Amino acid sequence: MNALVLVALAALTSGAKPAPTEGGNVLLAPKVGFFKSTTSLGGDLYLGLELGYVTPWLERRLAVTLEVGYHRPQTSGVLTDPQLGGFGAPPPDGRYTLAVREVAFLLSAVYRFERAFGSLTPYVGGGPGLYLHRATSDLFGATASESGGGLGLQALLGVELPLGPGGLFLEAHYHLAPLDFVTTGDVNVGGVLAGGLGYRLRL
């Protein structure tokens, strides 16, 4: 009888412990989404690749990730200022295009609420980013380019659903990426990544 009681207590005690996180400590996740800058630049396809490590801290719920992201939004229009002509000459073709290529290296601390809603795992995170920009403008038949880089900040939230050896996830980002070029002025070319869809492997 005592043996049965001990077995029952052992079962209850083991059941009270949180289930360990499945999979290894290394995370690898390609992702794709739609990025819209806070400026007049149009929306563009966002491509990213995340490499992460699940730390032993906070019951393995804290991960550190490095993501490389790329997108190239642009805008176009027509300059119609009458002063572009002058002395009776017809004004030049005022059509212009401005494109800003961005390559970002994003370091994040991510807290994962493992299986908080059934099989779903919400997560939040953020951290600094190194943003490398190249702005290319085409105006009056001439093309000019400027390049530079700077530090910024980013925050993210998402939700992951287990699928096969990893998880399918949907996430959103907000980026603060200051830029001060002649062609752009002093602006934040960061913005919002919406509908970031990807698949995260645990290796």
Side-chain angles (χ1 to χ4, degrees):
M1 187 65 167
N2 291 337
L4 291 176
V5 172
L6 290 175
V7 170
L9 288 174
L12 289 173
T13 303
S14 62
K17 295 180 180 178
T21 304
E22 298 177 359
N25 293 330
V26 178
L27 307 175
L28 181 63
K31 61 186 70 173
V32 62
F34 179 79
F35 193 96
K36 179 61 182 76
S37 170
T38 56
T39 68
S40 60
L41 294 168
D44 188 53
L45 180 70
Y46 175 92
L47 300 174
L49 181 64
E50 169 196 302
L51 179 63
Y53 174 72
V54 178
T55 72
W57 306 314
L58 300 177
E59 298 181 347
R60 297 185 66 205
R61 291 187 175 131
L62 181 65
V64 178
T65 66
L66 176 64
E67 178 176 335
V68 180
Y70 172 86
H71 69 114
R72 189 177 182 273
Q74 67 178 33
T75 186
S76 60
V78 179
L79 297 178
T80 58
D81 193 330
Q83 296 181 358
L84 291 175
F87 301 104
D93 186 354
R95 288 177 294 182
Y96 69 89
T97 300
L98 173 63
V100 178
R101 184 190 68 191
E102 178 183 284
V103 178
F105 298 88
L106 312 170
L107 182 64
S108 300
V110 179
Y111 186 83
R112 297 169 56 85
F113 301 87
E114 295 289 347
R115 308 295 176 92
F117 300 102
S119 58
L120 293 178
T121 296
Y123 56 90
V124 295
L130 174 62
Y131 296 86
L132 305 180
H133 295 108
R134 182 176 180 84
T136 302
S137 59
D138 190 349
L139 176 63
F140 302 141
T143 301
S145 295
E146 298 176 85
S147 298
L151 295 176
L153 296 171
Q154 48 89 27
L156 64 93
L157 59 87
V159 62
E160 183 177 317
L161 175 68
L163 182 65
L168 185 68
F169 65 88
L170 184 67
E171 65 183 32
H173 295 193
Y174 176 75
H175 294 246
L176 176 63
L179 180 64
D180 190 4
F181 283 168
V182 173
T183 49
T184 63
D186 187 2
V187 295
N188 168 30
V189 292
V192 177
L193 169 67
L197 181 67
Y199 185 78
R200 182 172 289 114
L201 284 168
R202 300 186 69 114
L203 306 174

